[in-house]
């Protein structure tokens, strides 16, 4: 199964609390980090692939916190394909690559893309990017993105898969905080978002 997520922002203390940008209703970074890990592992199994669309963490010690960030990432199930966000440095990706724990079959647990990736499922082509793309009207093409946290592009084909994304509220059952969104649920969100946008016209 493919899963998608963005903007986990491990260790980002400034996000804690009730706010419009990225509401993280936790008392401490440790509590938030644990919730991210727990939510992820509730839905992702080791055989699954998770596309992380950027902004993995914002440690207060910057690169000196990489070991602590790695310790959290190593708790996450599945193979992870990282797409670079504006808060992910090339040095950070190099650090993760050098410390890849490998999967049980010997393959890499981590893979990296600087700009984006393209995948196909459910009769659609998906552009996976950190920043939302202004695709215009398309046929069977959607953009999965992050970056804008608790905001949503007013475009049906643009789906925010971030931890704080309002698109998550379009699902019939609420996902745990930190849970990536499965390929099956992407279709559910897309249909609901298109219907919501049509109501506004």
């Amino acid at each position: 199964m493919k899963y998608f997520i963005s903007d986990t922002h491990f260790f980002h203390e400034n996000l804690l609390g009730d706010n419009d940008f990225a509401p993280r209703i936790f008392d401490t970074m440790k509590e938030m980090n644990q919730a991210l890990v727990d939510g992820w592992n509730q839905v992702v199994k080791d055989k699954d692939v998770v596309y992380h669309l950027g902004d993995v963490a914002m440690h207060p010690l910057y690169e000196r916190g990489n070991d602590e960030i790695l310790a959290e990432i190593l708790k996450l199930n599945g193979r992870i394909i990282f797409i670079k966000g504006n808060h992910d440095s090339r040095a950070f990706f190099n650090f993760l690559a050098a410390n890849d724990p490998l999967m049980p079959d010997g393959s890499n647990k981590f893979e990296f893309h600087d700009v984006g990736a393209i995948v196909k499922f459910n009769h659609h082509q998906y552009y996976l990017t950190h920043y939302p793309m202004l695709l215009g009207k398309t046929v069977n093409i959607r953009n999965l993105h992050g970056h804008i946290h608790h905001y949503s592009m007013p475009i049906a084909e643009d789906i925010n898969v971030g931890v704080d994304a309002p698109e998550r509220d379009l699902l019939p059952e609420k996902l745990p905080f930190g849970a990536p969104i499965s390929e099956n649920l992407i279709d559910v969100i897309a249909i609901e978002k298109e219907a919501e946008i049509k109501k506004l016209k």
Side-chain angles (χ1 to χ4, degrees), residues 13-33:
E13 190 170 22
N14 288 345
L15 295 185
L16 296 179
D18 193 7
N19 61 80
D20 292 335
F21 178 63
R24 306 280 177 103
I25 315 301
F26 301 101
D27 293 326
T28 65
M29 281 194 307
K30 183 177 180 180
E31 186 182 346
M32 180 186 75
N33 289 348

Side-chain angles (χ1 to χ4, degrees), residues 1-5 40-41 44-52 73 76-82 100-113 119 180:
M1 180 75 73
K2 297 181 187 71
Y3 288 86
F4 307 89
I5 196 167
W40 180 299
N41 289 340
V44 178
K45 307 305 178 195
D46 269 336
K47 65 183 182 301
D48 297 325
V49 176
V50 181
Y51 290 84
H52 192 304
I73 294 172
L76 302 174
N77 293 340
R79 184 165 169 259
I80 308 173
I81 300 176
F82 294 98
D100 191 322
L102 303 181
M103 299 298 286
D105 65 0
S107 63
N108 288 336
K109 182 178 177 71
F110 303 149
E111 183 181 319
F112 306 91
H113 295 276
V119 297

Side-chain angles (χ1 to χ4, degrees), residues 168-180:
R168 290 171 176 265
D169 295 333
L170 298 174
L171 292 169
E173 294 185 17
K174 188 173 178 63
L175 287 172
F177 176 82

Side-chain angles (χ1 to χ4, degrees), residues 186-200:
I186 291 294
D187 244 8
V188 175
I189 290 173
I191 292 166
E192 290 299 316
K193 185 170 184 182
E194 185 172 16
E196 287 292 319
I197 288 176
K198 283 180 178 177
K199 287 179 189 175
L200 300 174

Side-chain angles (χ1 to χ4, degrees), residues 117-177:
I118 297 174
V119 297
K120 294 180 180 180
F121 60 90
N122 295 345
H123 308 293
H124 281 76
Q125 183 168 270
Y126 290 85
Y127 295 169
L128 311 181
T129 57
H130 179 63
Y131 302 100
M133 299 175 68
L134 300 178
L135 291 174
K137 191 62 185 169
T138 64
V139 178
N140 295 339
I141 296 176
R142 293 172 179 154
N143 172 217
L144 304 185
H145 66 85
H147 184 62
I148 56 176
H149 288 268
H150 195 56
Y151 294 94
S152 181
M153 295 292 290
I155 300 169
E157 291 78 16
D158 284 27
I159 299 172
N160 183 356
V161 297
V163 169
D164 315 296
E167 274 86 336
R168 290 171 176 265
D169 295 333
L170 298 174
L171 292 169
E173 294 185 17
K174 188 173 178 63
L175 287 172
F177 176 82

